[in-house]
Amino acid sequence: MRTLLISSVRACTDLTIYEDDVWIVTFPKAGTTWTQEMVWLIDHDLDYETASKVILKERSIYLELFTIFTNFEVPDTVTQAEQMPRPRHIKSHLPLALLPKQLWTVRPKIIYTARNPQDVVTSLMHHYKYLQGFRGSQQDFFDGVLADRLDCCPMVRHVTEFWRVLEQHGDHVLFLHFEDMKRDLAAVIRKVCDFFGKVVSEEQVEKLKRHLSFESMKGL
């Protein structure tokens, strides 16, 4: 990510990792919020009461946020992550090389969600229009992604590098697909429950599906 200063990179890569951490890693607009809410609830035994009272960005800290929006008053999210009560839930869009080095030695649970590249880029373009005032054409934006001129690029390598780590780290890395979540969310919920060693009933799965519906999630 080109906007990161050297000190900020070190703050992220040198972050102390704990075995009971839970990390959500995605390229932007690949289903991050959806994954965060699902994973937090599963890891916290479907504690809907707390989820309704504490906003998601406080339950699942965006690690590198303060390094991106340098012109705004954004809290030091690395310090927030360091001070979170355990088990910590942390999300990141950082590429593999900039993530904390201890992720691969301490081996906490990591969930990576991938999405169809065309859908990601289209959604990201609208995000850039809204937050950064992008006024170019769709082709201009697509060309920028292909030329790796946007934050978090290169997009394809972001995904493929995580796919490759499954061979060595499949016991603590779970790779999800946004399209599977749309097609059969119940199956993905069960997959995540298995990853966390949680046993859930069909009734609980159906309730979580309703909670994760578009109508419910659009307010997060």
Side-chain angles (χ1 to χ4, degrees):
M1 187 181 293
R2 296 176 178 85
T3 57
L4 290 176
L5 301 172
I6 292 176
S7 60
S8 300
V9 172
R10 287 175 178 164
C12 293
T13 58
D14 293 342
L15 183 72
T16 299
I17 302 300
Y18 300 102
E19 191 173 334
D20 57 356
D21 281 350
V22 176
W23 285 71
I24 308 297
V25 183
T26 71
F27 192 83
K29 315 309 289 184
T32 317
T33 302
W34 204 10
T35 305
Q36 283 177 273
E37 183 72 358
M38 174 178 62
V39 170
W40 189 92
L41 280 164
I42 289 172
D43 188 37
H44 290 81
D45 299 317
L46 305 177
D47 183 1
Y48 295 103
E49 183 177 357
T50 299
S52 68
K53 294 177 180 177
V54 183
I55 58 176
L56 182 58
K57 69 179 182 180
E58 294 179 3
R59 290 183 276 125
S60 188
I61 294 292
Y62 183 2
L63 179 67
E64 67 272 17
L65 180 64
F66 87 108
T67 70
I68 300 170
F69 297 102
T70 54
N71 295 326
F72 299 90
E73 290 188 9
V74 175
D76 182 345
T77 43
V78 170
T79 298
Q80 284 186 336
E82 290 173 336
Q83 296 174 351
M84 284 182 76
R86 295 168 56 186
R88 305 182 303 182
H89 277 236
I90 300 172
K91 90 160 187 181
S92 178
H93 296 312
L94 290 172
L96 196 66
L98 298 183
L99 286 168
K101 294 174 288 187
Q102 290 186 353
L103 285 176
W104 315 111
T105 55
V106 179
R107 302 170 69 85
K109 283 184 164 45
I110 304 170
I111 296 90
Y112 189 96
T113 302
R115 185 182 183 186
N116 179 292
Q118 183 175 347
D119 293 337
V120 167
V121 174
T122 300
S123 181
L124 190 61
M125 181 182 67
H126 292 299
H127 185 75
Y128 265 68
K129 285 181 177 179
Y130 177 70
L131 286 182
Q132 301 195 27
F134 175 73
R135 293 294 179 264
S137 68
Q138 185 179 53
Q139 188 61 54
D140 290 336
F141 192 82
F142 279 29
D143 288 344
V145 172
L146 292 173
D148 298 335
R149 292 197 295 265
L150 277 70
D151 290 343
C152 297
C153 283
M155 178 179 64
V156 173
R157 193 166 73 196
H158 196 289
V159 179
T160 56
E161 285 184 340
F162 249 92
W163 180 255
R164 293 191 190 103
V165 305
L166 288 175
E167 185 173 341
Q168 289 183 307
H169 300 279
D171 58 330
H172 74 107
V173 177
L174 180 64
F175 199 99
L176 302 179
H177 295 271
F178 180 89
E179 290 73 23
D180 289 341
M181 294 168 68
K182 287 187 66 177
R183 182 169 44 247
D184 191 350
L185 183 56
V188 176
I189 288 171
R190 295 187 195 98
K191 186 175 184 178
V192 176
C193 286
D194 288 343
F195 184 61
F196 280 90
K198 305 284 186 178
V199 178
V200 292
S201 66
E202 287 304 308
E203 182 180 353
Q204 288 173 315
V205 170
E206 289 302 313
K207 182 176 180 180
L208 184 52
K209 274 182 59 180
R210 291 192 296 272
H211 178 82
L212 296 172
S213 68
F214 176 77
E215 287 302 313
S216 177
M217 288 294 297
K218 68 181 181 181
L220 292 180

